[in-house]
Amino acid sequence: MTSRPLAPLAIFDLDGTLVDTAADLVSSLNHTIAAAGLAPVTYDDLTHLVGQGARVMIKRAFALRETELPEAEIDPLYERFITHYRAEMPGESRPYPGIVETLDALSQSGITLAVCTNKTAVLAVPLLEKLGLTPYFAAITCGDTFEFRKPDARHILGTIERAGGDIRRTVMVGDSINDILAAKNANVPSIGVTFGYTDVPMAELKPDVVIDNFDALTTTLFEKLIARGAAAA
């Protein structure tokens, strides 16, 4: 008797892929760095700042303003960011157009869904809950779920395990170099979206497929990538 193959798995990044969080990230970051007298950052700065969690974003903001950040001030500033972000949640953050319909279509076709984000759990999980997206996902892994995070392949591998998936039947969907590199490092196909926060054109990151909107993320496309990934395994 042969075992039935596990369901295909679609793993999504959060910020810049599932949800447009730019306005709230900028607002909370500016609230945070104002305590140190730094000039506000703008949306144009955001692509250079996000991707590795709030602590790194704060450090990058100080570097952007060519200001030293003493080690002793990092944790208090991080807590200031967390407090402001959570108090405003979900703020102006909204799912990208078409994502809810895409999640519905993928799940109805038998594809399991998961989130793999470098955002900390204390921010990522409540945001997904407040936007009504949590029920779609079999697993949500965050920047502090493991001792490693994207672009480390183990972040994706751990997400696959928690979602009950199979690496040979998994696709990563993301908007940044961390997502595409993590997929390459894990040897899974990737779909890159062009509307997120990358500071490098998505095509230059060389995902398997580039899409401009979620209308293009069809079950047919997903099945083709799954077949390609399984053949390469």
Side-chain angles (χ1 to χ4, degrees):
M1 181 176 178
T2 58
S3 61
R4 186 176 180 181
L6 296 173
L9 175 63
I11 300 178
F12 290 85
D13 175 52
L14 176 51
D15 296 88
T17 302
L18 285 172
V19 181
D20 184 358
T21 55
D24 297 306
L25 290 174
V26 168
S27 174
S28 291
L29 182 58
N30 283 335
H31 172 79
T32 301
I33 65 178
L38 268 64
V41 302
T42 67
Y43 174 80
D44 289 337
D45 298 319
L46 188 65
T47 57
H48 302 283
L49 301 173
V50 300
Q52 290 291 346
R55 278 189 173 85
V56 173
M57 186 161 57
I58 293 166
K59 291 177 182 178
R60 288 174 176 173
F62 272 75
L64 182 69
R65 294 293 179 250
E66 299 181 340
T67 302
E68 181 181 355
L69 174 57
E71 191 70 26
E73 294 183 15
I74 295 175
D75 283 348
L77 288 171
Y78 174 75
E79 292 302 325
R80 181 178 172 90
F81 180 95
I82 295 292
T83 299
H84 185 271
Y85 193 93
R86 292 190 70 181
E88 300 296 318
M89 193 180 294
E92 297 182 37
S93 296
R94 295 292 182 272
Y96 279 103
I99 185 57
V100 172
E101 294 81 1
T102 296
L103 297 177
D104 280 331
L106 293 177
S107 58
Q108 288 171 15
S109 69
I111 296 172
T112 302
L113 308 174
V115 172
C116 178
T117 175
N118 282 348
K119 202 183 193 81
T120 57
V122 72
L123 300 182
V125 174
L127 178 61
L128 289 167
E129 288 175 348
K130 289 178 181 292
L131 294 175
L133 298 177
T134 306
Y136 285 103
F137 303 110
I140 299 170
T141 66
C142 305
D144 52 354
T145 302
F146 309 111
E147 294 181 357
F148 34 80
R149 56 171 62 181
K150 296 177 296 182
D152 194 311
R154 293 174 294 174
H155 199 169
I156 287 184
L157 299 178
T159 305
I160 294 171
E161 181 178 3
R162 292 198 174 199
D166 181 341
I167 190 171
R168 297 166 297 180
R169 295 168 62 77
T170 297
V171 173
M172 177 73 202
V173 185
D175 72 304
S176 74
I177 189 170
N178 286 328
D179 304 314
I180 307 309
L181 273 181
K184 291 180 186 294
N185 291 337
N187 198 29
V188 302
S190 60
I191 297 173
V193 303
T194 60
F195 45 78
Y197 308 145
T198 179
D199 57 349
V200 177
M202 179 51 66
E204 292 184 16
L205 300 179
K206 298 182 179 179
D208 293 88
V209 174
V210 176
I211 62 172
D212 297 321
N213 55 66
F214 279 114
D215 290 341
L217 184 46
T218 63
T219 55
T220 299
L221 171 61
F222 206 86
E223 288 164 359
K224 286 181 179 178
L225 288 175
I226 289 290
R228 185 188 304 175

